[in-house]
Amino acid sequence: MAAPVVVAVAAGMVAVAAPPAGPPAGGGGSTRAASTPLADTPVEDRSDPATWMLPIQPYMFSKAEVRAMNRSRDRLIADCAKGAGLPDSGPAYDGPGTDGRTETDLRYGIHDAALAARRGYHPDAAAQEKRDRAVAAGAVVPAGPDADVLSACSASAGLTVPAPTQAEVVQAIMRDSYAESAKAPEVVAVFARWSACMRAKGYSYAKPTDVDDAPRFHDRDGVGDVEIATATADVACRTRIPVAKVWFEAESALQTKAIRANRDVLNTVRAGVEEAVGRADRAAGAAGS
């Protein structure tokens, strides 16, 4: 059994299982250079958290890559099912999730004033409706022999394009750096400034996550006036006070330390990510030829 990997984030240390010694089998070279940003990563805009990149992200499947890999898998499964005589179930949902365009988009809270004025803390209505319809359609699971065929087709597709699952060491760093960075003195200080700004607007919240996580602002039945007013004030305070940037920089510093402490295993993780993305690209190319 491989030795555990120690993930050092601030004063805490987390042990996770080490990944395999090499990338998954299947051949092919790296598709993402180690010294370059992830594919599909937008150019950084200091005013838009969606364009920022955390140090751990080159060791992850990006959201765009996850969608591309799932497209390749879905195409393989659909072709296999069609060959077995099953009806075409139609394309799977291929849009972005409701948790942000990128890994950093909503990591530190909402920031789009126009969307907040329409939807409060809820995602865009059209995007949510499209995703809900697709999820509802995908929830219809065939039974009997058809289910067995789809299961076999899914297993076969996985041999060509593996599921884009984030490595445990990466998940640990993402999870722990977020929690620990919220305790950093500079982040606590910017939270206090944000809280004072909100208090001046008539709202009593100690830190941004208190309002982000408020259950009443995540009601699927609709968006109320109180939510919109609160979200509008929240974004105004975040625009005036650099909550997201200060928090992002604190978390980046912690992640950089953790990466240095786990460099060898993370390099193996990155090689596996690159190889898996390459396999998905080649599968997509073969399907389109």
Side-chain angles (χ1 to χ4, degrees), residues 23-279:
S30 169
T31 61
R32 295 146 97 219
S35 60
T36 60
L38 286 175
D40 301 314
T41 300
V43 175
E44 182 175 328
D45 174 354
R46 287 187 64 85
S47 67
D48 185 2
T51 70
W52 304 346
M53 178 179 280
L54 287 162
I56 197 63
Q57 284 182 240
Y59 304 92
M60 300 172 60
F61 294 103
S62 72
K63 291 189 176 186
E65 287 168 340
V66 168
R67 291 197 298 274
M69 292 181 71
N70 285 337
R71 278 197 302 273
S72 294
R73 286 169 56 85
D74 289 342
R75 176 67 180 270
L76 292 170
I77 293 170
D79 288 348
C80 172
K82 182 179 179 181
L86 268 62
D88 187 351
S89 61
Y93 177 69
D94 190 34
T98 54
D99 58 347
R101 295 167 287 163
T102 67
E103 287 72 17
T104 53
D105 190 3
L106 299 177
R107 189 168 178 82
Y108 310 105
I110 62 173
H111 55 86
D112 186 329
L115 182 59
R118 296 194 316 271
R119 296 283 294 164
Y121 292 92
H122 284 66
D124 177 75
Q128 180 71 65
E129 182 181 1
K130 182 178 179 182
R131 183 177 185 278
D132 287 348
R133 286 200 305 267
V135 169
V140 180
V141 179
D146 286 358
D148 294 338
V149 170
L150 281 180
S151 178
C153 287
S154 179
S156 175
L159 296 175
T160 303
V161 180
T165 303
Q166 308 293 3
E168 189 178 355
V169 63
V170 170
Q171 294 183 55
I173 291 174
M174 281 289 279
R175 178 184 64 244
D176 295 348
S177 64
Y178 179 85
E180 290 299 324
S181 60
K183 304 172 188 176
E186 65 271 28
V187 176
V188 172
V190 83
F191 283 178
R193 292 172 58 197
W194 172 89
S195 179
C197 178
M198 289 292 282
R199 189 163 53 251
K201 296 178 182 294
Y203 301 94
S204 180
Y205 293 99
K207 55 187 184 297
T209 50
D210 291 343
V211 65
D212 288 339
D213 298 337
R216 64 176 179 154
F217 295 151
H218 297 280
D219 187 346
R220 291 295 301 273
D221 294 333
V223 181
D225 293 341
V226 171
E227 178 182 344
I228 287 176
T230 306
T232 299
D234 185 4
V235 173
C237 287
R238 290 173 186 269
T239 301
R240 177 180 164 193
I241 298 159
V243 173
K245 196 65 175 175
V246 171
W247 197 350
F248 167 80
E249 289 172 351
E251 183 172 25
S252 294
L254 289 174
Q255 287 192 0
T256 297
K257 293 178 182 177
I259 289 168
R260 287 173 181 160
N262 297 276
R263 177 69 68 186
D264 290 344
V265 71
L266 284 170
N267 283 341
T268 299
V269 167
R270 176 154 53 190
V273 168
E274 292 170 350
E275 202 275 342
V277 170
R279 288 169 66 179

